[in-house]
Amino acid sequence: SFSDGVPSESLEAAKNASNTEKLTDQVMQNPQVLAALQERLDSVSHTPSSYIETLPKAVKRRINALKQLQVKCAHIEAKFYEEVHDLERKYAALYQPLFDKRREFITGDVEPTDAESEWHSENEEEDKLAGDVKDKVVIAEKEAAAAEEPNPKGIPEFWFTIFRNVDMLSELVQEYDEPILKHLQDIKVKFSEPGQPMSFVLEFHFEPNDYFSNSVLTKTYKMKSEPDKADPFSFEGPEIVDCDGCAIDWKKGKNVTVKTIKKKQKHKGRGTVRTITKQVPSDSFFNFFSPLKASGDGESLDEDSEFTLASDFEIGHFFRERIVPRAVLYFTGEAIEDDDNFEEGEEGEEEELEGDEEGEDEDDADVNPKKEPSQPSECKQQ
């Protein structure tokens, strides 16, 4: 239809345009909207990259020179971490006699002396306040219980208990893995020899068992301490780049990393059906010794493979840095409690800092503590 020679669609469009223009004017007159827009513009115009682009060529040339110096610093830092690795090797030799004695106590090959077994609990002072009467009752009860309770050899299921206590490890363990892990007697870390490529080996020592004939299962983690040529500024210390497992000599019918399934097949021509059996991979902790290999031909891994490899590196690092050095504390759960408390403390501090952000300038020193240096012994996941 028409009105005075003008199509109704045109009139409607003009009306909508007029309303939109009025609404825009109203919005732009709102101080809060204007402030938000200005903040967005400021953030866009003041990004570091946009600022660098505005600098004269002579200044950019000097910045490039600073980057060259930074690359040289990264190479010096890489050498520093190589020497840290040598230092780790030196101190590993000092720790080893203590770890050897730890194994003897765990297996029951050696019984600790009274002096070696003495340990003062945190509640010792409170216990003393209870008085002599209570002490005599407790001593009598302990003597009676000691006469009845069994006295197993060593510390039964020591390492298996650690696997159960640590979530990262317990997630890998299947029910059929548990009887095998109860035979685990020790875990050791061995560092590469001087002059050899940087690496470390995890050794899992097992007592004779009905599952495999190996006495030791090994996992070797290969490391590098050098900046990446394509991205030298990403260097943060040694990183695990690959790992090798070992062959497990499973006894007949005991391989928990595979399972046997039955499958029916129908002959296309005759129509007859037959049943075949085949072995397929099965979830198991012992797949840990058959790791996925990092791609060495420059091809990138798919997302799932990248995640699997990164998880493997994380577990190897955790064994090396935490489990082996502090085994008894993971057995008792004290190390796990400490880890939980530390994480909660970090969150609490973060909340406190956020609450102080609107404080006065004189409080800035309190909310910006100096960053602690990273631990030299830690290696980055690739």
Side-chain angles (χ1 to χ4, degrees), residues 43-60:
S43 64
V44 171
S45 60
H46 289 88
T47 57
S49 58
S50 63
Y51 168 70
I52 297 301
E53 290 300 320
T54 64
L55 296 176
K57 290 183 178 180
V59 177
K60 292 180 181 178

Side-chain angles (χ1 to χ4, degrees), residues 210-213 249-255 279:
D210 296 331
Y211 298 91
F212 47 74
S213 57
D249 299 323
W250 294 100
K251 296 180 180 180
K252 187 176 180 179
K254 297 294 186 178
N255 188 348
Q279 287 189 330

Side-chain angles (χ1 to χ4, degrees), residues 69-82 227 235:
L69 295 177
Q70 191 63 44
V71 171
K72 292 179 180 179
C73 287
H75 283 280
I76 293 174
E77 185 181 7
K79 293 297 181 183
F80 162 76
Y81 281 111
E82 288 180 3
F235 180 74

Side-chain angles (χ1 to χ4, degrees), residues 355-368:
D356 290 344
E357 284 179 355
E358 298 180 358
E360 298 181 359
D361 293 342
E362 64 183 9
D363 294 332
D364 286 349
D366 294 331
V367 299
N368 292 295

Side-chain angles (χ1 to χ4, degrees), residues 6-274:
V6 180
S8 59
E9 292 85 351
S10 301
L11 291 173
E12 186 67 23
K15 183 178 179 181
N16 289 338
S18 177
N19 291 337
T20 301
E21 185 176 353
K22 291 179 180 178
L23 181 61
T24 302
D25 290 339
Q26 292 176 358
V27 169
M28 294 305 295
Q29 291 175 7
N30 188 320
Q32 293 179 340
V33 173
L34 291 175
L37 287 174
Q38 185 62 46
E39 184 178 352
R40 290 285 299 275
L41 290 173
D42 290 344
S43 64
V44 171
S45 60
H46 289 88
T47 57
S49 58
S50 63
Y51 168 70
I52 297 301
E53 290 300 320
T54 64
L55 296 176
K57 290 183 178 180
V59 177
K60 292 180 181 178
R61 179 173 174 272
R62 294 165 195 144
I63 293 173
N64 290 337
L66 294 185
K67 288 184 176 181
Q68 282 204 35
L69 295 177
Q70 191 63 44
V71 171
K72 292 179 180 179
C73 287
H75 283 280
I76 293 174
E77 185 181 7
K79 293 297 181 183
F80 162 76
Y81 281 111
E82 288 180 3
E83 293 196 23
V84 168
H85 190 71
D86 291 336
L87 198 60
E88 281 185 309
R89 185 188 303 109
K90 172 186 173 182
Y91 277 88
L94 300 178
Y95 288 129
Q96 196 54 52
L98 302 177
F99 293 158
D100 290 341
K101 180 167 282 192
R102 178 177 71 184
R103 173 177 178 166
E104 292 175 342
F105 291 163
I106 291 171
T107 60
D109 293 340
V110 173
E111 188 68 28
T113 65
D114 290 341
E116 290 172 327
S117 303
E118 185 178 359
W119 183 257
H120 300 286
S121 67
E122 296 179 356
N123 299 325
E124 185 176 14
E125 293 299 326
E126 297 178 9
D127 294 340
K128 289 181 179 179
L129 297 177
D132 294 338
V133 175
K134 180 180 178 181
D135 290 341
K136 290 178 180 178
V137 172
V138 170
I139 291 172
E141 290 177 350
K142 287 183 177 180
E143 289 177 350
E148 298 177 1
E149 70 178 13
N151 184 16
K153 185 179 179 181
I155 305 177
E157 302 180 2
F158 179 84
W159 292 100
F160 172 60
T161 301
I162 292 175
F163 272 75
R164 288 190 307 185
N165 288 346
V166 178
D167 290 342
M168 185 187 298
L169 304 182
S170 65
E171 291 173 357
L172 304 177
V173 177
Q174 307 300 318
E175 185 176 354
Y176 40 80
D177 292 327
E178 295 180 1
I180 311 176
L181 289 172
K182 290 178 182 180
H183 294 285
L184 181 59
Q185 292 186 313
D186 198 14
I187 304 177
K188 295 181 179 180
V189 179
K190 297 289 183 67
F191 293 92
S192 54
E193 296 296 326
Q196 297 295 317
M198 187 181 295
S199 66
F200 67 92
V201 181
L202 297 177
E203 293 183 351
F204 294 74
H205 292 252
F206 286 83
E207 64 182 352
N209 59 80
D210 296 331
Y211 298 91
F212 47 74
S213 57
N214 311 65
S215 60
V216 181
L217 301 181
T218 61
K219 183 76 169 284
T220 302
Y221 287 90
K222 302 175 183 179
M223 304 167 64
K224 74 171 184 178
S225 181
E226 60 183 52
D228 189 284
K229 293 181 180 179
D231 186 16
F233 302 132
S234 66
F235 180 74
E236 295 180 355
E239 58 181 343
I240 299 174
V241 293
D242 204 358
C243 55
D244 290 326
C246 70
I248 302 179
D249 299 323
W250 294 100
K251 296 180 180 180
K252 187 176 180 179
K254 297 294 186 178
N255 188 348
V256 296
T257 64
V258 296
K259 59 184 176 182
T260 302
I261 62 171
K262 292 182 178 181
K263 188 176 181 181
K264 292 184 177 180
Q265 289 184 336
K266 185 176 182 180
H267 193 279
K268 293 183 179 179
R270 294 191 298 268
T272 56
V273 177
R274 67 174 182 175

